Amino acid sequence: MKKHLTRWVMLLCIIPLSLLSCSDDDVPNVEDNEGKEQETVDSWHEKIRDKPYPTIDNGLYINPAPLIVPQAMKKGDFIQFSLSKSASFKESETILSAKVPWCFFNPHQVLDAGTWFWRFRSANESGVEGAWSETYQFTVEEETPEFVTPAFDAFISNVPKTYPRLYSFLDDELEAARGKVESHSEFKALTSRANTALNASYSDVANPYDKIEEIRPYMIQLYQAYRLTQKQAYRDKMLEFVRLLQNYPLTDAQIFATNFGATDIALVFIKAYDIAQNELTTAEKQTIEELLIKIGRHYYNIYCGYQENHIFDNHFWQQNMRIFFQIALMLYTKAEYETEATKMLEYYYELWTARAPDSGFNRDGLWRNGVGYFNANVKTLYYMPSLFSSITRHDFLKHPWYQNAGKAITYAWPPNSKSVGFGDSSENGNAPNRLRIAFADFLAREVGDGYAAWYANECQSLLLQDYEFRIYRMVRDKSYTSAGLPAGYPKLIWHKDAGEVTIHSDIAHPENDLSLSFRSSTFASGSHTLADQNSFNILYKGADVYRSSGYYVDFSGAHNLMSYRHSRAHNTILVNGIGQPFSMKGYGNVVRAINGEQISYCLGDASNAYSGISDDPLWVDAFKKAGITQSPENGFGTTPLTKYRRHVFVLHPDIVVLYDELEAKNSVRWDWLLHSPTEFAIHNGSKTMETWNEDKQFKSVARMFSNQSFEISQTNQFVVPPTTIPDPRYPDQWHLTATFSPSSENRILTIIQVLPEYKFPRAITVNGEIYTCGGWNIEASLDCNQPAGIHITNSSTRVAFSYGNTHPVINNNVYLRKDQGSSILYDIIDGEVKILEMNDYQPISTRIR
């Protein structure tokens, strides 16, 4: 099934654009109507699944797809699945699963292209089987990416049975690494951190469990140092910590106060248990085993059936699942726990196949849940596939997400720059985090990714500050070199699954780079993503020009709800002062994107994003605790919006153009938003606003055009400030609003120039609907009584873009548009001179619509 229609005319050879010509046929008459736009649904994904997946309504992200049954549809102790090419489930064409206590099944084999049928039934422990469910069907397309993992038997039959076993994937190279450890460039850092841990003492602390967050990194550092140096002092200190902890009573209330707290406790004991089997007494080991199985059992009983049906449980995938898996890995050879621990291993192994990485519904390599929280996930993203690959002798890094991650990491947060991405905490940091770089180094070594290699090389000093991956880097005998970014690296990358676009004018040279990121996602708002559909960030020289505003001081406090998560904090629009809800229903979609050498383009559709108030219990409870009502006065409620399509262009190297199409069922107030770390100089006569960055010495000049009257204003006040008393950690930000007189339709053209201090902005001349800026001619239809359209040409290079219904003139010749409302670009596209015509991309849905 083609997810979007792309038609292009390949030119005969790669020659200068000005020498190319297309068909010179006469222009036929065209009907005056809109182009093909995306399907309207209430949501593309569910937070908690309430219908089986996949069905005829669903495309597949991966072949084979997991079969998932909502937890409420499980009516016994077990579920059994039947999958067949035959609608009658002919035995010779049917795969019948074992009865399992969880709610999903992985076929562990490539499924032939065509239609497949499946059903399920419940069963109880006594063997009584229920009736088969209704039959569901789905289609496997030829082009669906294939990624197959071995069945669990291939894993469990090869799992190490001796200790230490936590990092068995490094065992083959460990002895060689020990022989040259002292000459390794990270040896000093390794021993320095471990020696600091040697001097730590908690003997005078009332209850050392209160310090478990401090003890946890010490245990990691001591573990690594002992495995590499075999110095007894490091192991002895680990034993000192666990024996100290064992001397204090530990109640269930303490263990399970928070899920991170429980896994922090477990991790401390796992590290010692793994490397000190001979030094721990029988009684000490028994105490540790009883604690670990208590934690593992408690959460397995909660999560089995739940996690496969949840879109993405943050803490579970960040840390907890990895620790639960390690608990089972430690205990599965103990006779009294063998059956229970093996079942846990199977659940987490199968769950990883079905729902990892990043929900299992994302192949882009970008972290769908926001660039800021990617770092919290990288240890699990590295550890689990490394262990699985080593034990099964099957490469789990062949998953498309890992294959694309190097490029995505690089473009979302370049070296020597702030991040260009979205989500909680994305505004923090002026350079990439050490864990992000460590993960890039891992990808460079294991996947051979050229983007990751360049990235890690550019950030070497930060890489060496990382301790979490240090044992991997010091043991793994794999190296890589990078002479620069891979040849032909693009200016634009489109993350179709995640719903983001990133554009760089010169990513290889951050000091010259103009970057733009755009988000309009079918995963909507919730968790660590925000109500920011059809919003953008612009950076220059690695610093913010325009960026979403507010500060991530907490997950769901009043400032977060009203001035950080809310749409008013982002570079998007409000409708009658109302923003997008915090739910899967407040979605958008990037429907088009084209990577041109001189024109980079994308189109977002957020027509369904303003869909009412937040109904997710998580946010309903957060509003209640904050004492905030979801009222129109607070910026929440229903709107009559019917269309919000935003066209975004980067005219390389330094011009950004926005063209917004807005429609509603009745007259509304449109508020167009822009946020800056520095104050705007506003000229309402010319509808121009300017900013100046003193530190990086650059300026921005933006000018707006519309047939509707509007006024521009700004404030440096938040609706709810981050703190009650001004705090220098949270400096003022400036929030600009262009407020339009009420109308049911509006079109807005914005031309932005971002320039170093020594360059003067080019004047914009206006001749009817043609706006000229430098060598660029921008013809935009702002009359809502006429069909929408925007056409951009460059008088020097002859590149051209056209959106609308008419047949454009390209290089002095008429190009016959194949579809009305399509987007056409004539440029060097993905390395080749061509004309490309594109209609809307239809995203994959994981729910029944």
Side-chain angles (χ1 to χ4, degrees), residues 730-741:
Y730 309 118
D732 284 349
Q733 298 171 332
W734 294 88
H735 319 287
L736 179 146
T737 304
T739 302
F740 289 79
S741 57

Side-chain angles (χ1 to χ4, degrees), residues 125-275:
E125 288 186 342
S126 63
V128 177
E129 297 170 340
W132 285 109
S133 69
E134 67 176 277
T135 297
Y136 304 93
Q137 68 182 73
F138 61 91
T139 302
V140 177
E141 303 291 345
E142 292 280 1
E143 62 266 28
T144 302
E146 296 176 0
F147 175 73
V148 183
T149 62
F152 178 68
D153 286 348
F155 173 80
I156 197 62
S157 61
N158 291 294
V159 179
K161 294 179 170 54
T162 58
Y163 298 94
R165 62 178 71 153
L166 272 182
Y167 290 85
S168 61
F169 55 89
L170 298 177
D171 284 353
D172 290 346
E173 298 167 276
L174 183 58
E175 200 58 42
R178 286 171 178 163
K180 52 187 177 183
V181 65
E182 293 188 8
S183 63
H184 196 282
S185 60
E186 295 195 56
F187 176 73
K188 185 176 179 180
L190 172 81
T191 54
S192 176
R193 283 188 177 270
N195 291 339
T196 298
L198 287 179
N199 295 321
S201 175
Y202 297 94
S203 58
D204 58 350
V205 174
N207 188 335
Y209 283 104
D210 295 336
K211 300 292 184 179
I212 202 71
E213 288 187 28
E214 295 179 18
I215 297 172
R216 177 182 56 81
Y218 286 151
M219 291 294 282
I220 294 170
Q221 293 152 17
L222 291 165
Y223 181 93
Q224 292 186 354
Y226 176 72
R227 291 301 308 277
L228 280 162
T229 69
Q230 295 289 279
K231 290 186 177 179
Q232 185 174 329
Y234 297 137
R235 185 186 61 204
D236 289 347
K237 188 65 178 182
M238 296 175 72
L239 290 170
E240 177 188 318
F241 281 140
V242 298
R243 284 167 175 159
L244 176 67
L245 290 166
Q246 285 186 327
N247 286 333
Y248 286 80
L250 184 60
T251 66
D252 285 0
Q254 288 175 289
I255 298 172
F256 302 119
T258 66
N259 50 45
F260 269 169
T263 52
D264 281 348
I265 291 169
L267 184 146
V268 167
F269 284 99
I270 285 169
K271 295 292 188 185
Y273 188 86
D274 189 48
I275 55 95

Side-chain angles (χ1 to χ4, degrees), residues 512-531:
N512 300 321
D513 188 31
L514 174 69
S515 57
L516 180 145
S517 57
F518 180 78
R519 182 172 190 266
S520 199
S521 176
T522 59
F523 289 97
S525 169
S527 187
H528 289 301
T529 56
L530 311 175

Side-chain angles (χ1 to χ4, degrees), residues 450 453-454 457-458 480-486:
W454 176 80
N457 276 340
E458 291 289 305
Y480 55 89
T481 58
S482 174
L485 286 164

Side-chain angles (χ1 to χ4, degrees), residues 373 428 454 734 801:
Y373 263 80
N428 292 325
W454 176 80
W734 294 88
F801 173 88

Side-chain angles (χ1 to χ4, degrees), residues 565-604:
R565 189 171 300 276
H566 193 281
S567 302
R568 67 168 60 92
H570 307 285
N571 296 322
T572 185
I573 68 162
L574 301 179
V575 182
N576 288 330
I578 293 172
Q580 304 158 13
F582 312 160
S583 81
M584 302 299 280
K585 296 176 182 177
Y587 68 87
N589 185 25
V590 178
V591 295
R592 304 178 192 177
I594 309 175
N595 171 44
E597 185 66 23
Q598 297 182 53
I599 300 177
S600 297
Y601 164 73
C602 67
L603 168 60

